[in-house]
Amino acid sequence: MGGEMLPPDEAGPEDVVLAWEGVDVVAVRLPQLADSLDHILAAMERRQGRPLADLDRKAKQEVVRSLEARGAFAVRHGVETVASALGVSRFTVYNYLNREKGS
């Protein structure tokens, strides 16, 4: 997921501090969710073996369905990021999402 380990005394309010027998031993800084979306899209592209924009409509709909299940659209600008990666408009992504809810 791309987390980073750091000394517990350097932990910020968003970091997760792990303790062993009551002693803080390490802090984990998780990436921002928006960064994770970029990583997810890159991984999907690698799995497909080509840019997501080159997929046919049905495959793009499957990508949107998969991303929705992973919470990608809860991220600020998630729809725009996905639309850009798929080479479609935001409107098209919303149509794919609405189509899924209607079936």
PDB file of all heavy atoms in Angstrom, residues 52-71:
ATOM      1  N   LEU A  52      -5.329   2.114 -19.922  1.00  0.00           N
ATOM      2  CA  LEU A  52      -6.754   1.913 -19.662  1.00  0.00           C
ATOM      3  C   LEU A  52      -7.604   2.626 -20.708  1.00  0.00           C
ATOM      4  O   LEU A  52      -8.695   2.168 -21.040  1.00  0.00           O
ATOM      5  CB  LEU A  52      -7.114   2.398 -18.255  1.00  0.00           C
ATOM      6  CG  LEU A  52      -6.452   1.643 -17.106  1.00  0.00           C
ATOM      7  CD1 LEU A  52      -6.839   2.259 -15.767  1.00  0.00           C
ATOM      8  CD2 LEU A  52      -6.812   0.160 -17.137  1.00  0.00           C
ATOM      9  N   ALA A  53      -7.097   3.721 -21.250  1.00  0.00           N
ATOM     10  CA  ALA A  53      -7.836   4.465 -22.278  1.00  0.00           C
ATOM     11  C   ALA A  53      -8.026   3.642 -23.554  1.00  0.00           C
ATOM     12  O   ALA A  53      -8.935   3.913 -24.339  1.00  0.00           O
ATOM     13  CB  ALA A  53      -7.118   5.771 -22.593  1.00  0.00           C
ATOM     14  N   ASP A  54      -7.189   2.618 -23.755  1.00  0.00           N
ATOM     15  CA  ASP A  54      -7.293   1.785 -24.953  1.00  0.00           C
ATOM     16  C   ASP A  54      -8.288   0.635 -24.808  1.00  0.00           C
ATOM     17  O   ASP A  54      -8.514  -0.111 -25.769  1.00  0.00           O
ATOM     18  CB  ASP A  54      -5.920   1.198 -25.317  1.00  0.00           C
ATOM     19  CG  ASP A  54      -4.939   2.264 -25.788  1.00  0.00           C
ATOM     20  OD1 ASP A  54      -5.366   3.414 -26.046  1.00  0.00           O
ATOM     21  OD2 ASP A  54      -3.738   1.947 -25.880  1.00  0.00           O
ATOM     22  N   LEU A  55      -8.870   0.468 -23.627  1.00  0.00           N
ATOM     23  CA  LEU A  55      -9.828  -0.620 -23.409  1.00  0.00           C
ATOM     24  C   LEU A  55     -11.148  -0.320 -24.111  1.00  0.00           C
ATOM     25  O   LEU A  55     -11.493   0.847 -24.346  1.00  0.00           O
ATOM     26  CB  LEU A  55     -10.090  -0.798 -21.909  1.00  0.00           C
ATOM     27  CG  LEU A  55      -8.885  -1.149 -21.036  1.00  0.00           C
ATOM     28  CD1 LEU A  55      -9.288  -1.173 -19.566  1.00  0.00           C
ATOM     29  CD2 LEU A  55      -8.280  -2.475 -21.446  1.00  0.00           C
ATOM     30  N   ASP A  56     -11.907  -1.375 -24.395  1.00  0.00           N
ATOM     31  CA  ASP A  56     -13.236  -1.151 -24.964  1.00  0.00           C
ATOM     32  C   ASP A  56     -14.205  -0.728 -23.861  1.00  0.00           C
ATOM     33  O   ASP A  56     -13.873  -0.753 -22.674  1.00  0.00           O
ATOM     34  CB  ASP A  56     -13.732  -2.389 -25.724  1.00  0.00           C
ATOM     35  CG  ASP A  56     -13.927  -3.617 -24.836  1.00  0.00           C
ATOM     36  OD1 ASP A  56     -14.094  -3.468 -23.608  1.00  0.00           O
ATOM     37  OD2 ASP A  56     -13.906  -4.741 -25.366  1.00  0.00           O
ATOM     38  N   ARG A  57     -15.402  -0.329 -24.255  1.00  0.00           N
ATOM     39  CA  ARG A  57     -16.381   0.211 -23.310  1.00  0.00           C
ATOM     40  C   ARG A  57     -16.699  -0.770 -22.191  1.00  0.00           C
ATOM     41  O   ARG A  57     -16.744  -0.399 -21.014  1.00  0.00           O
ATOM     42  CB  ARG A  57     -17.664   0.608 -24.045  1.00  0.00           C
ATOM     43  CG  ARG A  57     -18.694   1.258 -23.127  1.00  0.00           C
ATOM     44  CD  ARG A  57     -19.899   1.770 -23.894  1.00  0.00           C
ATOM     45  NE  ARG A  57     -20.464   0.805 -24.796  1.00  0.00           N
ATOM     46  CZ  ARG A  57     -21.465  -0.020 -24.492  1.00  0.00           C
ATOM     47  NH1 ARG A  57     -22.007   0.017 -23.306  1.00  0.00           N
ATOM     48  NH2 ARG A  57     -21.921  -0.875 -25.379  1.00  0.00           N
ATOM     49  N   LYS A  58     -16.906  -2.024 -22.530  1.00  0.00           N
ATOM     50  CA  LYS A  58     -17.260  -3.025 -21.512  1.00  0.00           C
ATOM     51  C   LYS A  58     -16.131  -3.175 -20.482  1.00  0.00           C
ATOM     52  O   LYS A  58     -16.384  -3.242 -19.280  1.00  0.00           O
ATOM     53  CB  LYS A  58     -17.554  -4.370 -22.172  1.00  0.00           C
ATOM     54  CG  LYS A  58     -18.012  -5.419 -21.202  1.00  0.00           C
ATOM     55  CD  LYS A  58     -18.367  -6.719 -21.878  1.00  0.00           C
ATOM     56  CE  LYS A  58     -18.801  -7.729 -20.829  1.00  0.00           C
ATOM     57  NZ  LYS A  58     -18.911  -9.060 -21.360  1.00  0.00           N
ATOM     58  N   ALA A  59     -14.902  -3.204 -20.951  1.00  0.00           N
ATOM     59  CA  ALA A  59     -13.760  -3.331 -20.037  1.00  0.00           C
ATOM     60  C   ALA A  59     -13.642  -2.092 -19.156  1.00  0.00           C
ATOM     61  O   ALA A  59     -13.318  -2.200 -17.965  1.00  0.00           O
ATOM     62  CB  ALA A  59     -12.476  -3.556 -20.826  1.00  0.00           C
ATOM     63  N   LYS A  60     -13.907  -0.918 -19.712  1.00  0.00           N
ATOM     64  CA  LYS A  60     -13.867   0.310 -18.917  1.00  0.00           C
ATOM     65  C   LYS A  60     -14.946   0.287 -17.836  1.00  0.00           C
ATOM     66  O   LYS A  60     -14.720   0.712 -16.699  1.00  0.00           O
ATOM     67  CB  LYS A  60     -14.027   1.537 -19.810  1.00  0.00           C
ATOM     68  CG  LYS A  60     -12.813   1.813 -20.662  1.00  0.00           C
ATOM     69  CD  LYS A  60     -13.019   3.025 -21.558  1.00  0.00           C
ATOM     70  CE  LYS A  60     -11.787   3.259 -22.423  1.00  0.00           C
ATOM     71  NZ  LYS A  60     -11.931   4.432 -23.292  1.00  0.00           N
ATOM     72  N   GLN A  61     -16.119  -0.234 -18.186  1.00  0.00           N
ATOM     73  CA  GLN A  61     -17.187  -0.353 -17.194  1.00  0.00           C
ATOM     74  C   GLN A  61     -16.771  -1.298 -16.058  1.00  0.00           C
ATOM     75  O   GLN A  61     -17.054  -1.030 -14.888  1.00  0.00           O
ATOM     76  CB  GLN A  61     -18.474  -0.854 -17.850  1.00  0.00           C
ATOM     77  CG  GLN A  61     -19.118   0.181 -18.744  1.00  0.00           C
ATOM     78  CD  GLN A  61     -20.258  -0.377 -19.576  1.00  0.00           C
ATOM     79  OE1 GLN A  61     -20.339  -1.576 -19.828  1.00  0.00           O
ATOM     80  NE2 GLN A  61     -21.142   0.509 -20.006  1.00  0.00           N
ATOM     81  N   GLU A  62     -16.076  -2.363 -16.400  1.00  0.00           N
ATOM     82  CA  GLU A  62     -15.592  -3.291 -15.380  1.00  0.00           C
ATOM     83  C   GLU A  62     -14.554  -2.623 -14.480  1.00  0.00           C
ATOM     84  O   GLU A  62     -14.531  -2.845 -13.264  1.00  0.00           O
ATOM     85  CB  GLU A  62     -15.014  -4.544 -16.028  1.00  0.00           C
ATOM     86  CG  GLU A  62     -16.069  -5.423 -16.674  1.00  0.00           C
ATOM     87  CD  GLU A  62     -15.478  -6.557 -17.502  1.00  0.00           C
ATOM     88  OE1 GLU A  62     -14.262  -6.805 -17.420  1.00  0.00           O
ATOM     89  OE2 GLU A  62     -16.260  -7.180 -18.245  1.00  0.00           O
ATOM     90  N   VAL A  63     -13.693  -1.798 -15.067  1.00  0.00           N
ATOM     91  CA  VAL A  63     -12.701  -1.054 -14.285  1.00  0.00           C
ATOM     92  C   VAL A  63     -13.420  -0.134 -13.299  1.00  0.00           C
ATOM     93  O   VAL A  63     -13.082  -0.085 -12.108  1.00  0.00           O
ATOM     94  CB  VAL A  63     -11.758  -0.251 -15.211  1.00  0.00           C
ATOM     95  CG1 VAL A  63     -10.961   0.778 -14.413  1.00  0.00           C
ATOM     96  CG2 VAL A  63     -10.827  -1.183 -15.963  1.00  0.00           C
ATOM     97  N   VAL A  64     -14.427   0.593 -13.771  1.00  0.00           N
ATOM     98  CA  VAL A  64     -15.182   1.497 -12.899  1.00  0.00           C
ATOM     99  C   VAL A  64     -15.862   0.713 -11.785  1.00  0.00           C
ATOM    100  O   VAL A  64     -15.835   1.122 -10.618  1.00  0.00           O
ATOM    101  CB  VAL A  64     -16.200   2.331 -13.720  1.00  0.00           C
ATOM    102  CG1 VAL A  64     -17.177   3.063 -12.807  1.00  0.00           C
ATOM    103  CG2 VAL A  64     -15.467   3.314 -14.612  1.00  0.00           C
ATOM    104  N   ARG A  65     -16.424  -0.411 -12.100  1.00  0.00           N
ATOM    105  CA  ARG A  65     -17.088  -1.262 -11.095  1.00  0.00           C
ATOM    106  C   ARG A  65     -16.085  -1.707 -10.033  1.00  0.00           C
ATOM    107  O   ARG A  65     -16.347  -1.639  -8.831  1.00  0.00           O
ATOM    108  CB  ARG A  65     -17.723  -2.466 -11.806  1.00  0.00           C
ATOM    109  CG  ARG A  65     -18.783  -3.156 -11.038  1.00  0.00           C
ATOM    110  CD  ARG A  65     -19.561  -4.213 -11.835  1.00  0.00           C
ATOM    111  NE  ARG A  65     -18.940  -4.781 -13.000  1.00  0.00           N
ATOM    112  CZ  ARG A  65     -19.280  -4.497 -14.265  1.00  0.00           C
ATOM    113  NH1 ARG A  65     -20.233  -3.627 -14.520  1.00  0.00           N
ATOM    114  NH2 ARG A  65     -18.676  -5.082 -15.279  1.00  0.00           N
ATOM    115  N   SER A  66     -14.921  -2.125 -10.473  1.00  0.00           N
ATOM    116  CA  SER A  66     -13.879  -2.565  -9.560  1.00  0.00           C
ATOM    117  C   SER A  66     -13.397  -1.411  -8.678  1.00  0.00           C
ATOM    118  O   SER A  66     -13.203  -1.569  -7.465  1.00  0.00           O
ATOM    119  CB  SER A  66     -12.708  -3.145 -10.359  1.00  0.00           C
ATOM    120  OG  SER A  66     -11.617  -3.414  -9.528  1.00  0.00           O
ATOM    121  N   LEU A  67     -13.207  -0.254  -9.272  1.00  0.00           N
ATOM    122  CA  LEU A  67     -12.756   0.907  -8.516  1.00  0.00           C
ATOM    123  C   LEU A  67     -13.811   1.369  -7.509  1.00  0.00           C
ATOM    124  O   LEU A  67     -13.477   1.782  -6.401  1.00  0.00           O
ATOM    125  CB  LEU A  67     -12.392   2.048  -9.458  1.00  0.00           C
ATOM    126  CG  LEU A  67     -11.130   1.813 -10.293  1.00  0.00           C
ATOM    127  CD1 LEU A  67     -11.002   2.870 -11.379  1.00  0.00           C
ATOM    128  CD2 LEU A  67      -9.897   1.808  -9.403  1.00  0.00           C
ATOM    129  N   GLU A  68     -15.058   1.285  -7.896  1.00  0.00           N
ATOM    130  CA  GLU A  68     -16.115   1.668  -6.955  1.00  0.00           C
ATOM    131  C   GLU A  68     -16.105   0.743  -5.737  1.00  0.00           C
ATOM    132  O   GLU A  68     -16.233   1.200  -4.598  1.00  0.00           O
ATOM    133  CB  GLU A  68     -17.485   1.636  -7.622  1.00  0.00           C
ATOM    134  CG  GLU A  68     -18.582   2.098  -6.659  1.00  0.00           C
ATOM    135  CD  GLU A  68     -19.956   2.091  -7.282  1.00  0.00           C
ATOM    136  OE1 GLU A  68     -20.204   1.273  -8.180  1.00  0.00           O
ATOM    137  OE2 GLU A  68     -20.786   2.898  -6.835  1.00  0.00           O
ATOM    138  N   ALA A  69     -15.905  -0.541  -5.968  1.00  0.00           N
ATOM    139  CA  ALA A  69     -15.846  -1.506  -4.860  1.00  0.00           C
ATOM    140  C   ALA A  69     -14.682  -1.208  -3.921  1.00  0.00           C
ATOM    141  O   ALA A  69     -14.739  -1.513  -2.729  1.00  0.00           O
ATOM    142  CB  ALA A  69     -15.739  -2.928  -5.408  1.00  0.00           C
ATOM    143  N   ARG A  70     -13.622  -0.591  -4.452  1.00  0.00           N
ATOM    144  CA  ARG A  70     -12.446  -0.259  -3.641  1.00  0.00           C
ATOM    145  C   ARG A  70     -12.529   1.134  -3.023  1.00  0.00           C
ATOM    146  O   ARG A  70     -11.590   1.578  -2.374  1.00  0.00           O
ATOM    147  CB  ARG A  70     -11.190  -0.356  -4.506  1.00  0.00           C
ATOM    148  CG  ARG A  70     -10.945  -1.770  -4.994  1.00  0.00           C
ATOM    149  CD  ARG A  70      -9.836  -1.825  -5.983  1.00  0.00           C
ATOM    150  NE  ARG A  70      -8.627  -2.293  -5.313  1.00  0.00           N
ATOM    151  CZ  ARG A  70      -7.508  -2.557  -5.950  1.00  0.00           C
ATOM    152  NH1 ARG A  70      -7.419  -2.381  -7.249  1.00  0.00           N
ATOM    153  NH2 ARG A  70      -6.463  -2.989  -5.291  1.00  0.00           N
ATOM    154  N   GLY A  71     -13.629   1.831  -3.250  1.00  0.00           N
ATOM    155  CA  GLY A  71     -13.815   3.144  -2.645  1.00  0.00           C
ATOM    156  C   GLY A  71     -13.135   4.285  -3.373  1.00  0.00           C
ATOM    157  O   GLY A  71     -12.954   5.365  -2.821  1.00  0.00           O
TER     158      GLY A  71
END
